[in-house]
């Protein structure tokens, strides 16, 4: 467990800062426009899945430790570009480097956690703890970033990011993440096309459906609460802060529950609970009910059981590419979700949007239920 906890702790240093707090204004100050800003963020969403592919294949060839160090190196170069930016091209370069770093880190981090698990009976709990450590600092990141920017200036945010990334890089070089180096040298010889079928294909499908909703729920909910229901930004911010704090223990207890009653059953529970929360948002608009629904929506996390399920369905030698492919399914959902739900909400209203989300969750649960039947009947990845 010490080895498993050390990796997310090292990577969590990057979560102490939130670039989204300062980058939009920084882009505008350098002569950019909303259109340019949108193009840059869209370019990030394209580069990130490409980097995931490189991460999966590269980890097999070079080993996860080198890929993790490489991802941190890209962060250092990104912050250096931001610090020296006197025009938009260096900002664009920095944002692309950040996207590459994020894409490289994700699969290497998850597969390294899977490799280091010694007792698969506690796989989901281990993933829950690792993810909570990795994402813990993000709760305070917007506040810390805003404080630094207000008191010292935006450039000091970038300088702090550079220093934190440098420390993270030095610590990462001493990591023993549990990879089998002898497997890494032979990774290029594996047939990955055999992976994307059967149970794993069902897992990719429900992951895509889940992230169709995950990517669009928060912005739609935020706008609906402030502009349609006329609640204050303070109320929204307080509710989201409580939700973010709930997420940390939620990952851990969801993982523990998943290890006890099987991962697919918890994944079904995620769909049921979130569908019920969306139903409450359709039926009620008073603040207490909205608050209960929002917190219920975040009460169960899909990541720990999903990652544990991957480690069960996939041969250990294919962990790297498996987590990479699942990450691409997540990115595909993130890219399509806001466009689809934005169209639905703008043309048919928010309640219809929530109803469509419930419909997608029903499709998600159907796929999970089919996968559950295959697992219970002992069918392999065929």
């Amino acid at each position: 467990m010490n080895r498993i906890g050390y990796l997310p702790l090292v990577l969590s240093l990057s979560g102490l800062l939130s670039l989204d707090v300062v980058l939009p204004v920084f882009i505008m100050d350098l002569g950019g426009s909303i259109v340019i800003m949108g193009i840059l963020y869209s370019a990030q969403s394209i580069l990130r899945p490409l980097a995931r592919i490189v991460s999966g294949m590269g980890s097999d060839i070079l080993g996860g430790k080198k890929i993790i160090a490489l991802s941190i190196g890209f962060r250092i170069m990104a912050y250096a570009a931001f610090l020296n930016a006197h025009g938009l091209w260096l900002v664009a370069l920095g944002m692309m480097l950040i996207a590459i770093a994020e894409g490289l880190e994700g699969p290497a981090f998850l597969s390294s956690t899977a490799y280091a698990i010694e007792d698969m009976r506690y796989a989901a709990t281990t993933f829950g703890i690792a993810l909570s450590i990795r994402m813990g600092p993000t709760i305070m990141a917007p506040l810390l970033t805003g404080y630094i920017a207000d008191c010292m200036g935006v450039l000091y945010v970038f300088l702090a990011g550079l220093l934190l990334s440098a420390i993270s890089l030095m610590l990462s070089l001493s990591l023993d993440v549990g990879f089998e180096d002898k497997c890494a040298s032979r990774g290029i010889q594996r047939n990955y096309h055999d992976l994307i079928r059967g149970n794993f294909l069902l897992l990719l499908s429900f992951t895509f459906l889940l992230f169709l909703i995950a990517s669009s729920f928060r912005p739609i909910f935020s706008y609906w609460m402030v502009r349609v229901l006329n609640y204050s930004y303070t109320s929204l911010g307080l509710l989201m802060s409580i939700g973010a704090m709930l997420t940390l223990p939620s990952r851990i207890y969801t993982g523990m529950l998943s290890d006890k009653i099987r991962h697919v059953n918890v994944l079904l529970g995620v769909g049921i609970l979130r569908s019920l929360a969306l139903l409450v948002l359709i039926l009620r608009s008073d603040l207490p009910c909205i608050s209960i629904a929002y917190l219920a929506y975040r009460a169960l996390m899909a990541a720990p059981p999903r990652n544990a399920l991957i480690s069960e369905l996939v041969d250990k030698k294919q962990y790297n590419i498996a987590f990479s492919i699942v990450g691409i399914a997540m990115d595909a959902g993130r890219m399509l979700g806001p466009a689809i739900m934005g169209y639905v909400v703008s043309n048919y209203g928010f309640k219809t949007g929530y109803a469509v989300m419930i419909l997608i969750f029903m499709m998600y649960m159907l796929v999970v239920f089919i996968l559950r039947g295959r697992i219970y009947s002992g069918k392999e990845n065929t």
Side-chain angles (χ1 to χ4, degrees), residues 1-5 7-8 108-131 176-180 255 259 263 303-312 316 319 323:
M1 182 60 71
N2 289 336
R3 181 175 64 183
I4 294 171
L7 173 59
F109 165 57
L110 293 173
S111 60
S112 69
T113 302
Y115 272 114
I117 296 173
E118 297 177 355
D119 190 342
M120 294 304 295
R121 292 177 301 170
Y122 306 106
T125 301
T126 303
F127 275 111
I129 294 171
L131 288 166
D176 173 19
V177 294
F179 283 112
E180 299 177 40
D259 286 328
H263 312 313
R306 182 183 64 246
N307 291 329
L309 188 59
I310 295 168
S311 64
E312 286 188 0
K316 195 170 187 178
Y319 277 174
F323 282 102

Side-chain angles (χ1 to χ4, degrees), residues 289-304:
C289 286
I290 290 174
S291 301
I292 292 171
Y294 181 80
L295 296 178
Y297 187 93
R298 300 178 66 87
L300 284 179
M301 295 286 107

Side-chain angles (χ1 to χ4, degrees), residues 121-122 124-125 254-263 266:
R121 292 177 301 170
Y122 306 106
T125 301
T254 301
M256 295 174 66
L257 181 64
S258 181
D259 286 328
K260 289 183 178 296
I261 66 171
R262 304 194 73 159
H263 312 313
V266 173

Side-chain angles (χ1 to χ4, degrees), residues 3-273:
R3 181 175 64 183
I4 294 171
Y6 184 58
L7 173 59
L9 188 61
V10 169
L11 295 177
S12 69
L13 292 176
S14 64
L16 288 168
L17 297 173
S18 175
L19 286 175
D20 288 339
V21 172
V22 296
L23 275 182
V25 176
F26 191 61
I27 291 170
M28 298 295 184
D29 288 346
L30 291 177
S33 64
I34 294 178
V35 173
I36 291 175
M37 182 171 63
I39 291 173
L40 292 177
Y41 275 99
S42 295
Q44 279 190 310
S45 68
I46 295 172
L47 273 179
R48 200 173 288 113
L50 296 177
R52 290 188 197 276
I53 299 174
V54 174
S55 177
M57 300 180 68
S59 294
D60 277 338
I61 300 169
L62 302 174
K65 179 178 175 179
K66 293 179 182 178
I67 296 299
I68 288 170
L70 183 62
S71 72
I72 300 171
F74 274 109
R75 285 189 185 276
I76 292 173
M77 290 188 287
Y79 283 115
F82 292 141
L83 276 170
N84 291 280
H86 299 290
L88 287 174
W89 77 271
L90 274 178
V91 178
L93 175 62
M95 292 180 68
M96 299 311 105
L97 291 171
I98 288 290
I100 293 171
E102 292 172 347
L104 289 175
E105 179 194 309
F109 165 57
L110 293 173
S111 60
S112 69
T113 302
Y115 272 114
I117 296 173
E118 297 177 355
D119 190 342
M120 294 304 295
R121 292 177 301 170
Y122 306 106
T125 301
T126 303
F127 275 111
I129 294 171
L131 288 166
S132 291
I133 295 172
R134 171 63 183 89
M135 303 305 295
T138 60
I139 294 177
M140 297 301 297
L143 178 61
L144 179 60
T145 304
Y147 178 80
I148 295 173
D150 283 337
C151 295
M152 294 179 282
V154 174
L155 291 181
Y156 280 90
V157 173
F158 302 143
L159 179 60
L162 180 64
L163 294 175
L164 288 170
S165 298
I167 295 170
S168 183
L169 179 61
M170 288 187 291
L171 293 173
S172 72
L173 295 177
S174 64
L175 284 174
D176 173 19
V177 294
F179 283 112
E180 299 177 40
D181 293 334
K182 61 182 181 181
C183 292
S185 64
R186 297 197 300 269
I188 195 68
Q189 301 173 7
R190 298 180 192 134
N191 295 318
Y192 296 126
H193 65 275
D194 293 334
L195 181 65
I196 310 176
R197 62 181 185 179
N199 294 345
F200 189 74
L201 185 59
L202 289 171
L203 187 146
L204 289 178
S205 300
F206 79 65
T207 298
F208 169 74
L209 291 170
L210 185 66
F211 276 83
L212 273 180
I213 306 171
S215 60
S216 53
F217 172 73
R218 185 166 176 171
I220 288 174
F221 176 82
S222 299
Y223 186 89
W224 176 70
M225 187 170 172
V226 174
R227 294 302 185 198
V228 177
L229 302 182
N230 296 316
Y231 291 111
S232 67
Y233 282 109
T234 302
S235 299
L236 175 64
L238 179 61
L239 180 58
M240 287 191 165
S241 295
I242 296 172
M245 287 186 286
L246 175 64
T247 299
L248 293 181
S250 173
R251 290 191 180 99
I252 298 174
Y253 68 68
T254 301
M256 295 174 66
L257 181 64
S258 181
D259 286 328
K260 289 183 178 296
I261 66 171
R262 304 194 73 159
H263 312 313
V264 285
N265 292 328
V266 173
L267 288 167
L268 280 174
V270 170
I272 293 171
L273 187 59

